[in-house]
Amino acid sequence: GKAGFSTVVNPKCAASDPEQHKSAREDIKEILRSKFCHPIMVRLGWHDAGTYNKNIEGWPQRGGANGSLRFEIELKHAANAGLVNALKLLQPIKDKYSGVTYADLFQLASATAIEEAGGPKLPMKYGRVDVFEPEQCPEEGRLPDAGPPSPGDHLRDVFYRMGLNDKEIIALSGAHILGRSRPERSGWGKPETKYTKDGPGAPGGQSWTVQWLKFDNSYFKDIKERRDEDLLVLPTDAAFFEDPSFKVYAEKYAEDQDAFFKDYAEAHAKLSNLGAKFDPPQGFSLDESPTSGTPEKFVAAKYSFGKKGMSDSMKQKIRAEYEAVGGSPDKPLPTNYFLNIMIVIAVLALVTSLIQN
């Protein structure tokens, strides 16, 4: 294609390399810090995955997270206006790591952008296989439109076709917290507002929220209150507080950020797997703890809300200390563990001084 992205078939594309994925993740963090491009990276991952049709069996006809968005024919779909910029930023990383497919790179960039913006830790897996020719791109018209005649029905048509439900639609929509709508790309929004005229990143556009590079639940709060004409509310956004089923979740997320983060993390990971073919078939995780078959009860480690979470090994250490004394980070200890330690130390000091005397 004219855009000049490498479309070479990598015969070893199946041999995805977890270490290369980890290095690529660090490179993506550098780009995010220098370019403030979190929103467009999220959109790139979503638009590759969001073409999935659950009613089509075969891969890649079913669409989904398969790297097809790198081909010019799909980049030119109206819903993908501007995404070529995200691809240009990621191409050097793709060139550097042959063991990372485009399909994985797009989802890795999307997930890393959410986490780096202060969002929840996402339970992602990798190992997606790439399509290798433009003929394998899905037809246009599978992605949501911002201003359809009946917004609620339109969103349901699109997301139900992907196999997602009302809760997942609303949780995922919360990612509008990041970024701006640009009239020159989508036809929506103002050319600039007091929140966007100085950037960060390229100036201009209209944001849904005041701090449009910080991931939290203010998207739901701001739409609900609608008291700032400099903030964008699309017809599809407004539907969230008008539609009876959507409203339940939108109200809940406006009140409870932890609930939003938990549901968002699950929905984002699910979206990122849509339609993908994995090799190995179960995929692989980049987290230090191996993914076991048993459901993980320890929620605090999975969803670290701080921007800089503790390392997984540190969490496991702290958790082991808790469990050694019969507690768990999720419930208070039966005894005051730390006070007891202080008493033990004091007693030891006393005994030592008595012996020395």
Side-chain angles (χ1 to χ4, degrees):
K2 279 202 296 278
F5 299 110
S6 148
T7 49
V8 179
V9 184
N10 180 357
K12 285 184 63 197
C13 120
S16 294
D17 179 339
E19 288 313 307
Q20 285 196 19
H21 282 70
K22 287 181 183 175
S23 304
R25 180 163 62 184
E26 294 312 306
D27 290 3
I28 290 165
K29 287 178 187 174
E30 284 306 308
I31 293 177
L32 291 167
R33 283 169 202 148
S34 61
K35 302 271 189 224
F36 306 103
C37 55
H38 306 63
I40 200 172
M41 291 302 178
V42 175
R43 195 170 145 232
L44 180 74
W46 281 26
H47 283 213
D48 197 42
T51 57
Y52 175 62
N53 184 343
K54 71 178 193 305
N55 306 312
I56 300 176
E57 190 78 7
W59 182 94
Q61 299 82 350
R62 62 191 183 213
N66 60 28
S68 63
L69 188 47
R70 73 187 187 275
F71 291 109
E72 194 178 3
I73 183 169
E74 189 172 339
L75 272 176
K76 285 202 161 136
H77 292 178
N80 294 331
L83 283 179
V84 64
N85 298 318
L87 208 56
K88 282 177 179 160
L89 290 170
L90 290 177
Q91 187 61 45
I93 299 182
K94 175 67 184 123
D95 295 339
K96 191 167 156 188
Y97 303 110
S98 60
V100 180
T101 60
Y102 279 101
D104 269 354
L105 184 60
F106 295 168
Q107 300 311 323
L108 180 64
S110 179
T112 306
I114 293 288
E115 292 176 9
E116 287 291 294
K121 177 102 181 70
L122 306 176
M124 300 289 291
K125 64 173 183 171
Y126 296 96
R128 292 169 191 76
V129 177
D130 276 344
V131 299
F132 52 85
E133 57 183 15
E135 288 64 39
Q136 296 175 305
C137 290
E139 74 285 358
E140 187 162 4
R142 292 195 189 186
L143 292 167
D145 179 26
S150 45
D153 294 346
H154 171 70
L155 283 174
R156 287 194 173 96
D157 288 346
V158 172
F159 282 94
Y160 287 8
R161 187 210 70 224
M162 295 182 207
L164 298 171
N165 60 29
D166 284 3
K167 177 169 97 168
E168 288 158 337
I169 292 173
I170 302 302
L172 288 170
S173 298
H176 273 150
I177 177 80
L178 295 180
R180 302 159 284 174
S181 181
R182 294 179 172 279
E184 70 275 16
R185 290 182 193 168
S186 66
W188 291 93
K190 299 181 178 180
E192 68 165 42
T193 69
K194 62 177 177 279
Y195 303 119
T196 65
K197 65 176 193 294
D198 299 321
Q206 185 173 14
S207 57
W208 284 264
T209 57
V210 176
Q211 286 188 288
W212 44 267
L213 286 173
K214 178 177 183 294
F215 193 94
D216 59 21
N217 67 336
S218 58
Y219 166 77
F220 297 106
K221 293 179 174 165
D222 290 345
I223 299 176
K224 191 178 173 180
E225 291 167 11
R226 289 205 193 197
R227 49 167 189 220
D228 186 335
E229 67 216 24
D230 265 350
L231 296 179
L232 185 63
V233 179
L234 295 173
T236 39
D237 300 320
F240 298 153
F241 285 97
E242 289 156 11
D243 178 282
S245 166
F246 284 160
K247 190 176 174 170
V248 176
Y249 301 107
E251 296 272 357
K252 177 179 165 188
Y253 299 152
E255 293 303 312
D256 184 348
Q257 180 164 293
D258 288 357
F260 167 52
F261 271 33
K262 180 182 179 297
D263 291 352
Y264 180 84
E266 288 165 12
H268 182 119
K270 181 173 172 179
L271 174 68
S272 78
N273 296 336
L274 293 180
K277 182 164 79 175
F278 286 88
D279 189 355
Q282 73 283 5
F284 56 85
S285 164
L286 303 187
D287 296 318
E288 291 164 51
S289 51
T291 39
S292 58
T294 52
E296 177 70 298
K297 189 199 169 295
F298 181 43
V299 183
K302 202 158 154 197
Y303 306 112
S304 127
F305 297 121
K307 196 147 187 179
K308 288 282 161 274
M310 269 187 272
S311 74
D312 288 350
S313 52
M314 189 56 162
K315 278 178 200 148
Q316 280 160 356
K317 234 175 172 162
I318 291 172
R319 188 179 180 192
E321 283 176 13
Y322 265 110
E323 286 174 345
V325 293
S328 103
D330 306 311
K331 60 176 195 276
L333 295 165
T335 61
N336 193 329
Y337 172 47
F338 295 105
L339 183 61
N340 290 354
I341 285 191
M342 296 314 290
I343 293 168
V344 170
I345 290 169
V347 171
L348 285 173
L350 185 62
V351 172
T352 313
S353 68
L354 287 172
I355 292 169
Q356 283 170 347
N357 295 341

